[in-house]
Amino acid sequence: MDFQSRAPVKGVISWFAHGVDADDIPEEATTKQQAFPAGEIMENDDDTKEDTQSQVKNSVNIEKNCCNEDTFRLHMVTWNVATADPPDDISSLLHLNSPKTPDLYVIGLQEVYTAPHRFIIDMAVEDSWSHLFMSSLAPRGYLKVSSIRMQGLLLLFFSKLAHVPFIRDIQATYTRTGIFGYWGNKGGVSIRLSFYGHMLCFLNCHLAAHMQYALQRVDEFEYILDTQTFDPKKTPQILDHKLVFWFGDLNFRIQDHGMHFLRNCITSHKFNLLWSKDQLTMMKKKEALLQEFDEGPLDFQPTYKFDRFSDCYDSSGKMRKPAWTDRILWRVKPKEPPPEEEEEEDEDRDSGLDEKNTKQQQEAEEEEFPLKLKQDSYTSNMEYGVSDHKPVIGLFTLELRKMYETPLVRVCAEGEWSADFDAMVIYSPLQPFPSSAWDWIGLYKVGFRSVSDYITYTWVKDDEVSFNDELTQVYVSKDEIPVLGGECILCYYCSTLQCIVGISSPFKVQESKVAIEEGLASENIKILDKATASSDL
């Protein structure tokens, strides 16, 4: 996990609860109103101004306009990158030119380069793979909500900005299974979260290699499920979540068939002749736990092992047999069977009744807010040759009924904004939530990549930490507003929930007239460029 910290600090506070990434937390500031260098913002010719009430209304409706459907597209990628540097272009991997844009991206990588000097740099700044995905997706309106890294395992979760205020309860964790559980070259990393009230969990694994260790791979998976725990109590473990994705380099091989038969089946696209000897398919017949997980048909050629920058399977002396090592499976939580009627002692009846009522409540909630998943595509991408594995892509349609459609906080910019005078932010809670004086509101460029990419921030009022339906005003110093102006948004960050709970409509920051008159704007362009560039590293 990246432990770079960029967060407003007020006294001593821990920012690492709830699995929020350190690279998503703003830089330290010793005072509540400490200024940060402003970064250049892309200019926009739209000079439309709206009054306060209109902006408040838009800040609430921006999510409703984009999220009023109960159907969401999910784009998943798993790729063992074999310590390679990323390719120049990942448009094909992410289907960036497709007319159907996903609501969520989940990318799981294995064997990200972990040489000591590179790993230290990655922890201090940002690894090259994360940088590439963020740079590719941010201009298209996606925000990196969370990420976690354990040595070579990396998991990234992106969302369209409109959904971000409805993504809560974010936690990330990891489990080592390499070298008796002490080394992180193998294991699993996970991100769990609430998406419109539905608990989802994404588990990226890299399991034991080699043909003879199929049973060990199952044992490692079960160990990961047993050891990873979360809050709140209603979803303490992975399998308690309503929807679980299990994916990664699971390393299951194709047994028994000889190399000649394997290659003939692959060349003739008769993949179905190999399915019965796929180890994961075989293990599912024996292991009840594995039977709970679904997978689409393996109608693409095995993704391991290739000569680099080639479509040819391993031609080295080892001559590794092709295999579907890279997989994406999922599990929708099954309904619990009705409990068997048992006679109870008088003193146990009350507690038994409470437990029964709790289960009935959960069942009623599942009935009222159902969730369904449909896989639209399951395939590999053969054009990438930087690794000896080919990436696997899974496209899904997630159907659910939202448990809530209103963000926790509405926030907007009031009046005209420029570096010539102090600016005003107004906010108001829309429903009770655990607010505190540690909450802050960040000013961001439109197209920002993560929570830590703010230009500046302002703390919420110390005396406004409880539910209040009235508008509250806080100020941003003119010294912290970008001189060159540009298109911006405001985000309310709740430190207790460790996530963004309110986003404003985009608004225009005007170019500073004073700076132009004094000839300072052009002189500051290079400084602002450097500030912007440093925030993108």
Side-chain angles (χ1 to χ4, degrees):
M1 183 184 295
D2 192 336
F3 287 100
Q4 179 192 5
S5 179
R6 190 173 181 253
V9 171
K10 193 177 170 193
V12 180
I13 185 170
S14 171
W15 290 94
F16 300 104
H18 301 286
V20 171
D21 299 277
D23 62 335
D24 280 346
I25 299 174
E27 190 173 275
E28 289 191 352
T30 55
T31 63
K32 191 170 181 181
Q33 297 295 339
Q34 180 169 345
F36 284 78
E40 180 185 358
I41 300 178
M42 295 300 292
E43 295 188 18
N44 191 296
D45 293 330
D46 182 11
D47 295 327
T48 303
K49 300 176 186 177
E50 297 180 345
D51 60 33
T52 299
Q53 293 303 320
S54 296
Q55 288 200 29
V56 171
K57 182 177 180 181
N58 286 341
S59 71
V60 177
N61 288 340
I62 185 173
E63 291 87 359
K64 290 187 178 180
N65 291 336
C66 298
C67 314
N68 56 3
E69 299 293 333
D70 290 345
T71 299
F72 306 89
R73 294 190 183 96
L74 172 60
H75 186 117
M76 297 193 64
V77 174
T78 179
W79 192 5
N80 183 321
V81 298
T83 73
D85 289 327
D88 295 330
D89 183 25
I90 52 173
S91 297
S92 176
L93 184 68
L94 301 179
H95 295 185
L96 296 183
N97 298 321
S98 172
K100 296 181 178 180
T101 59
D103 296 277
L104 306 172
Y105 277 99
V106 182
I107 296 106
L109 304 181
Q110 306 85 40
E111 290 196 33
V112 176
Y113 190 47
T114 56
H117 69 284
R118 176 75 71 86
F119 192 69
I120 292 172
I121 293 173
D122 290 350
M123 292 296 100
V125 223
E126 181 179 274
D127 68 272
S128 56
W129 285 95
S130 295
H131 179 81
L132 176 61
F133 284 110
M134 293 168 72
S135 299
S136 300
L137 290 173
R140 297 171 182 267
Y142 294 92
L143 180 70
K144 191 193 81 172
V145 175
S146 184
S147 68
I148 183 170
R149 182 174 177 185
M150 180 186 74
Q151 288 184 221
L153 274 170
L154 175 64
L155 179 57
L156 303 165
F157 182 91
F158 293 86
S159 169
K160 278 186 176 179
L161 192 61
H163 303 308
V164 170
F166 306 96
I167 300 174
R168 304 166 193 169
D169 300 319
I170 306 165
Q171 288 182 273
T173 190
Y174 62 88
T175 300
R176 300 184 180 97
T177 59
I179 311 181
F180 304 106
Y182 290 102
W183 190 243
N185 64 319
K186 296 289 193 297
V189 292
S190 64
I191 294 173
R192 60 73 61 89
L193 49 86
S194 166
F195 184 67
Y196 290 97
H198 298 262
M199 299 304 299
L200 316 180
C201 186
F202 302 89
L203 173 61
N204 172 28
C205 290
H206 191 186
L207 304 180
H210 304 305
M211 181 72 73
Q212 66 271 30
Y213 294 123
L215 186 58
Q216 181 177 332
R217 289 187 270 277
V218 177
D219 290 341
E220 287 180 350
F221 175 53
E222 292 179 347
Y223 175 73
I224 292 168
L225 294 181
D226 288 340
T227 54
Q228 294 197 2
T229 57
F230 308 95
D231 290 324
K233 293 181 179 180
K234 66 177 181 179
T235 53
Q237 294 187 306
I238 290 175
L239 296 183
D240 294 319
H241 292 74
K242 189 174 284 189
L243 174 62
V244 176
F245 282 97
W246 172 38
F247 57 107
D249 181 0
L250 307 186
N251 252 322
F252 290 101
R253 309 303 173 97
I254 299 174
Q255 279 189 195
D256 300 335
H257 293 310
M259 184 70 78
H260 181 71
F261 180 78
L262 268 171
R263 297 205 173 190
N264 279 344
C265 291
I266 294 170
T267 303
S268 61
H269 286 221
K270 295 179 179 178
F271 306 126
N272 60 306
L273 299 180
L274 304 176
W275 293 347
S276 63
K277 296 300 181 180
D278 167 68
Q279 286 183 334
L280 181 52
T281 302
M282 297 168 70
M283 295 303 293
K284 285 185 75 172
K285 295 178 180 179
K286 303 176 182 178
E287 302 288 337
L289 174 62
L290 299 184
Q291 292 169 15
E292 297 182 15
F293 285 82
D294 293 313
E295 183 181 18
L298 298 169
D299 285 333
F300 53 91
Q301 67 184 85
T303 53
Y304 173 85
K305 176 182 182 181
F306 288 86
D307 293 335
R308 290 179 188 256
F309 301 102
S310 160
D311 289 341
C312 299
Y313 285 101
D314 187 15
S315 62
S316 70
K318 293 182 178 180
M319 292 288 287
R320 296 288 189 197
K321 290 170 66 175
W324 287 292
T325 57
D326 310 285
R327 314 286 278 268
I328 301 175
L329 296 90
W330 71 91
R331 173 188 183 267
V332 177
K333 187 179 179 182
K335 291 184 178 180
E336 294 186 8
E340 296 181 4
E341 296 293 333
E342 295 181 359
E343 293 185 4
E344 299 176 354
E345 297 294 334
D346 290 341
E347 63 269 18
D348 295 333
R349 284 181 181 173
D350 290 339
S351 60
L353 185 60
D354 290 341
E355 185 178 346
K356 183 178 180 181
N357 288 339
T358 301
K359 287 185 177 180
Q360 287 177 343
Q361 214 168 18
Q362 291 177 348
E363 289 173 4
E365 185 180 273
E366 290 179 5
E367 289 290 335
E368 185 179 358
F369 301 102
L371 178 148
K372 297 178 182 178
L373 187 76
K374 178 173 70 75
Q375 188 171 58
D376 302 313
S377 175
Y378 189 35
T379 187
S380 60
N381 189 314
M382 298 297 293
E383 73 178 72
Y384 293 98
V386 297
S387 168
D388 55 1
H389 291 248
K390 301 296 183 182
V392 170
I393 301 168
L395 305 181
F396 298 87
T397 298
L398 179 61
E399 297 180 13
L400 57 83
R401 187 171 300 159
K402 300 173 187 175
M403 295 188 185
Y404 40 77
E405 298 192 53
T406 304
L408 294 176
V409 175
R410 59 186 176 189
V411 58
C412 72
E414 183 176 19
E416 182 178 335
W417 278 55
S418 84
D420 295 336
F421 39 78
D422 294 344
M424 184 182 296
V425 177
I426 62 172
Y427 67 91
S428 179
L430 298 175
Q431 54 186 294
F433 74 100
S435 61
S436 77
W438 301 103
D439 294 357
W440 50 274
I441 299 170
L443 175 67
Y444 293 87
K445 298 183 299 181
V446 168
F448 71 108
R449 309 182 318 161
S450 70
V451 174
S452 64
D453 283 347
Y454 63 86
I455 300 166
T456 187
Y457 66 89
T458 182
W459 298 97
V460 302
K461 284 191 174 180
D462 289 354
D463 58 349
E464 297 289 343
V465 297
S466 60
F467 179 65
N468 189 329
D469 58 0
E470 296 181 358
L471 297 179
T472 302
Q473 299 177 340
V474 289
Y475 291 88
V476 176
S477 169
K478 63 182 181 180
D479 297 328
E480 302 175 26
I481 298 174
V483 171
L484 297 181
E487 199 75 11
C488 294
I489 61 172
L490 295 165
C491 296
Y492 186 112
Y493 186 89
C494 175
S495 63
T496 304
L497 297 178
Q498 297 282 288
C499 61
I500 292 172
V501 296
I503 299 178
S504 76
S505 297
F507 63 95
K508 181 69 177 289
V509 175
Q510 303 297 328
E511 190 175 43
S512 169
K513 295 177 182 178
V514 173
I516 294 173
E517 291 172 359
E518 297 180 0
L520 298 176
S522 59
E523 294 176 8
N524 284 335
I525 288 177
K526 291 184 179 179
I527 297 174
L528 293 168
D529 280 340
K530 289 180 181 178
T532 303
S534 65
S535 71
D536 289 341
L537 293 177

